[in-house]
Amino acid sequence: MMSKFSELINQDQPVLVDFFADWCGPCKTLAPILKQVKEDLGDKVKIVKIDVDKNQALAAKYQVRGVPTMLLFKNGKQVWRQSGVLQKNDIINVIKTNG
């Protein structure tokens, strides 16, 4: 998973990674918001969801202690991170600013 993940985040296109868990209420709130972000931005962003329970090593590597936590990568580098739920426009602004 690690090498596949490195490959995934190492591209010109910004990659927004959503670390989530099935048991997490706020994660369920964030899911449709991220769907709208993808609909609005299309090919300008790739959105990847990572289940922390199934990918504990990855969550540990990026020090994800609470869910949801979003990380934005550009060319393999983490350029932004935020825990909790953000509104669609805030997420879009972050992607446009850092992408």
Side-chain angles (χ1 to χ4, degrees):
M1 179 67 186
M2 288 280 190
S3 61
K4 194 174 176 194
F5 185 77
S6 300
E7 209 175 282
L8 193 67
I9 60 172
N10 209 344
Q11 30 191 310
D12 288 343
Q13 180 192 43
V15 180
L16 183 68
V17 180
D18 169 28
F19 284 92
F20 78 101
D22 287 336
W23 44 262
C24 154
C27 297
K28 291 179 174 65
T29 306
L30 185 61
I33 296 171
L34 289 178
K35 202 171 174 194
Q36 291 170 356
V37 168
K38 181 62 181 164
E39 283 167 9
D40 279 26
L41 294 179
D43 291 340
K44 292 190 187 85
V45 68
K46 187 173 193 77
I47 298 177
V48 180
K49 295 174 76 64
I50 303 282
D51 185 330
V52 293
D53 292 328
K54 294 190 179 103
N55 300 282
Q56 291 173 345
L58 206 53
K61 181 182 179 190
Y62 290 100
Q63 298 170 348
V64 175
R65 293 190 179 86
V67 282
T69 294
M70 289 179 282
L71 278 65
L72 186 68
F73 292 91
K74 177 87 171 147
N75 297 319
K77 292 188 180 70
Q78 182 184 317
V79 292
W80 174 87
R81 83 178 277 155
Q82 176 80 45
S83 294
V85 175
L86 289 182
Q87 294 312 307
K88 181 181 87 164
N89 290 343
D90 296 332
I91 297 171
I92 286 173
N93 286 339
V94 162
I95 292 166
K96 285 184 172 169
T97 306
N98 296 287

